[in-house]
Amino acid sequence: VGLVLLIRVAELQAVMPVLVSFGVAAIVFVAADYYDGENPIRSLIPPLVVFLPGAAITTGTMELAAGQTISGASRLVEGLMDLLLLAFGIIAAAALVGTPPTDLIDRPFDQLGSWTTVLALVVIALGTHLHLCAPRRAMPWILLVLAAASAGQEFGAAVFAPELSGFFGALAMTPLVLLIGRRREGPPSMVLFLPAFWLLVPGAAGLIGVTAIVGTTSRLGPADFTTTMVTVLSIALGVLIGTAAVK
């Protein structure tokens, strides 16, 4: 997928999500059928993560909540269209390979344990440094903001509901980002906000939900997609309240 993204052909950019999701899904479904892999739909997310529009959907929702109707609606529609394009490629690959519709429904299970949360935060910070060219001096601040977002998310999921965890994660990290950005030695707010934002946005759940809606008759798909939209709204509300609290 990374090599395909290096191809700069203007005519292919509009259909690139469909082509990539089709190719990735075909490989994953064939491998899952050959090796009796469990829950193959979850294996699609890591290679397709660069195409997930979770940030666009959440940002569009935030802009709509702030009264920026045109830009917010444009981002929201663009994000939903990207989800549909990715889902179309996955469903087409499933039809070609002969994957049963039940394999398009997510059945999550935890095999590695909770210790992976700490490792994930380090990997996200390192990826931000390498892929987005974040300066080295910003790495400790990025880890701090990621830890705050993760802690808020865990608190919200444990005390209230998983759907509201994004609200508490955004509420915990937004004031911290703005306060660090005001420090003379602190990095710009956007350098800190972006990795924490990616930690919170439910792009993977949205893709799985849309795929299940279109590709199966199960009710799990609509439920997953509704949960995704509730999470998006909660993240937007947490960012807005956190920003207002600091200002």
Side-chain angles (χ1 to χ4, degrees), residues 136-189:
R136 291 183 180 178
R137 63 179 180 84
M139 295 295 289
W141 297 113
I142 292 175
L143 278 173
L144 177 62
V145 172
L146 287 172
S150 179
Q153 199 172 29
E154 294 289 338
F155 171 81
V159 177
F160 294 93
E163 294 82 3
L164 300 178
S165 62
F167 168 78
F168 292 95
L171 187 63
M173 67 94 172
T174 301
L176 184 61
V177 167
L178 296 177
L179 291 174
I180 294 175
R182 294 176 182 178
R183 297 174 61 91
R184 180 177 300 177
E185 68 275 15
S189 298

Side-chain angles (χ1 to χ4, degrees), residues 58 61 162-171 227-241:
T58 308
T61 306
E163 294 82 3
L164 300 178
S165 62
F167 168 78
F168 292 95
L171 187 63
T227 300
T228 299
M229 297 311 297
V230 171
T231 305
V232 165
L233 290 173
S234 67
I235 294 172
L237 183 61
V239 172
L240 292 174
I241 295 179

Side-chain angles (χ1 to χ4, degrees), residues 163 209 213 218-229:
E163 294 82 3
I213 290 173
S218 171
R219 295 181 180 180
L220 291 177
D224 288 346
F225 187 68
T226 301
T227 300
T228 299
M229 297 311 297

Side-chain angles (χ1 to χ4, degrees), residues 5 12-13 22 29 31 53 55 66 69 75 79 97 145 149 152 158 173 185-186 206 219:
L5 288 175
L12 294 179
Q13 296 307 308
F22 176 84
F29 289 146
T69 307
R75 290 184 193 273
V97 175
V145 172
M173 67 94 172
E185 68 275 15
R219 295 181 180 180

Side-chain angles (χ1 to χ4, degrees), residues 124-135 142 190-191 194-195 198:
I124 292 174
L126 181 61
T128 302
H129 169 63
L130 296 176
H131 184 62
L132 300 178
C133 301
I142 292 175
M190 190 54 65
V191 175
L194 189 59
W198 270 108

Side-chain angles (χ1 to χ4, degrees), residues 1-163:
V1 173
L3 292 175
V4 170
L5 288 175
L6 296 177
I7 301 175
R8 297 296 181 182
V9 180
E11 293 77 10
L12 294 179
Q13 296 307 308
V15 296
M16 190 66 74
V18 177
L19 297 177
V20 173
S21 63
F22 176 84
V24 169
I27 295 173
V28 168
F29 289 146
V30 169
D33 183 59
Y34 187 78
Y35 292 106
D36 295 327
E38 299 181 18
N39 205 22
I41 189 70
R42 185 58 70 97
S43 302
L44 297 174
I45 301 306
L48 296 178
V49 68
V50 292
F51 290 100
L52 294 180
I57 293 175
T58 308
T59 304
T61 306
M62 289 168 50
E63 291 174 341
L64 287 174
Q68 301 172 8
T69 307
I70 296 177
S71 60
S74 300
R75 290 184 193 273
L76 192 60
V77 172
E78 179 187 4
L80 294 175
M81 183 57 65
D82 287 341
L83 280 180
L84 289 172
L85 291 174
L86 290 171
F88 180 85
I90 294 172
I91 294 168
L96 176 66
V97 175
T99 301
T102 53
D103 283 350
L104 299 179
I105 300 175
D106 186 30
R107 294 178 293 276
F109 52 90
D110 188 4
Q111 289 185 323
L112 297 179
S114 59
W115 65 269
T116 55
T117 301
V118 177
L119 178 62
L121 298 182
V122 175
V123 171
I124 292 174
L126 181 61
T128 302
H129 169 63
L130 296 176
H131 184 62
L132 300 178
C133 301
R136 291 183 180 178
R137 63 179 180 84
M139 295 295 289
W141 297 113
I142 292 175
L143 278 173
L144 177 62
V145 172
L146 287 172
S150 179
Q153 199 172 29
E154 294 289 338
F155 171 81
V159 177
F160 294 93
E163 294 82 3

